[in-house]
Amino acid sequence: MDGVHDLGGMDGFGAVPIEADEPLFHERWEGRVWRMLAAVMGSTTIDRFRYTIEQMPPAQYLASSYYERWLWAIEHLAAEQGILDSADQPVAVSRPSPTMPTWDGRFHRGDRVRVRNPVTTGHTRVPRYLRRHVGRIERVAFAWPNPGESAATGTYGEPELVYTVTFAASDLFGTTADHTVTADLGESDLEQV
Amino acid sequence: MSELTPDQRTEILERHLHDHGHVDPEDVDAAIAAAESTTGDGPSPALGARVVARAWVDAEFRERLLADPVNTIAEYHPQTVPIAVLEDTPSVHHVIVCTLCSCYPSGLLGNPPAWYKSFEYRSRVVREPRAVLAEFDMDVDPDIELRVHDSTAEQRYLVLPLRPANTEDWDEEQLARLVTRNSMIGTGRPMQP
């Protein structure tokens, strides 16, 4: 979805708020929210948690602190799972483990690839600033279930290959940019150039 | 619920989840205390510093850390998601970000700092990293290649910073004290001896 959470490359946010010696949690409730995520995460996917946050109305998202956004998502996921008013434990969802893929993919190191433009109101991990741009495959990073499917179903499906892809920032943000940007993108998000 | 403060909403959420056996307040207290611990046994900047210092003094460990980061870091703490180690060189400097949410090597470094999760950092560092790094008092020579890594998938990143000069006689424990959290994210350098 084209949400307000997709911030990469946006202008106007100003200086980074760097706080010296910051505490882990600024207020007591933040730590409790942080830990209570575990109560809903056992029965859903990390992608559905992210997708839930992305459903926040844009103005509210921008006006909320980090843990307020978590709180909003946990309230919604707990209601969805029925655990606010029932002792029944929803079906557990097991997380894939970090293993390297054993199969060969469609792309190989050095290949030029174009990022697909996913027109979807569902969840995607393709940032807006990379869509339709051409990059180069750096390496096969790992294999992982497709985030869009994991967000929609709340369960993890079959893994797909995820590639680390390098882009010239001058292509993305204008000729004065002299750095590179890498992102980790699923095989279904990419097409051969 | 919007008229309530986050503190009040958190209390209501915890009460509902506790009443139905989905949250144990004592477990919440213990988890917060463990996360706030600075002993360096659990995920924290201190734990990351031990891994970095070991890589500086132990060439065989460094090779393994770069080639098989998940299993090598697991010697210190088990990793539940893929992680890649980005080695700085005299001519290349790495910086990490998550433009879409807040993905961070939490399994090694603990919770991210607030600035890492800020709209300002997430929007700007992919576009103008040199300007952002200057706000961290970090001037990067124009000859140094800057690589920004957007954590768009379930893979986390750790920057392996350059060992400070004039530390040839230093042992691992002394070196670990020079490793700052920001130097493992790429927004800082290790302290100088």
Side-chain angles (χ1 to χ4, degrees), chain A residues 138-161:
Chain A
E138 188 86 18
R139 64 191 186 97
V140 175
F142 61 107
W144 200 263
N146 180 276
E149 290 171 22
S150 305
T153 63
T155 58
Y156 293 106
E158 289 302 306
E160 71 167 342
L161 291 188

Side-chain angles (χ1 to χ4, degrees), chain B residues 42-53:
Chain B
S44 61
L47 185 65
R50 286 169 57 199
V51 172
V52 168

Side-chain angles (χ1 to χ4, degrees), chain A residues 5 9 13-14 16 22 32 35 50 61 66 75 83-84 86 95 125 129 178-182 184, chain B residues 9 14 20 22 27 29 81 102 114 120 122-124 126-127 130 135 146 148-150 152 154 157:
Chain A
H5 68 284
F13 281 100
V16 178
E22 67 166 275
R32 307 199 79 74
R35 180 58 181 178
R50 293 188 185 121
Y61 181 99
Y66 181 73
E75 287 169 344
I83 59 175
L84 291 173
S86 165
R95 239 179 116 82
R125 292 293 289 180
Y129 76 91
D178 64 353
H179 58 287
T180 64
V181 176
T182 78
D184 296 325
Chain B
R9 282 165 55 198
E14 184 167 350
H20 297 94
H22 302 292
D27 163 75
D29 293 339
V81 290
S102 60
E120 293 84 352
R122 287 166 53 194
S123 62
R124 291 177 54 215
V126 285
R127 186 177 187 124
R130 288 178 201 275
E135 292 172 19
L146 210 47
V148 182
H149 302 268
D150 192 354
T152 53
E154 226 43 56
Y157 287 101

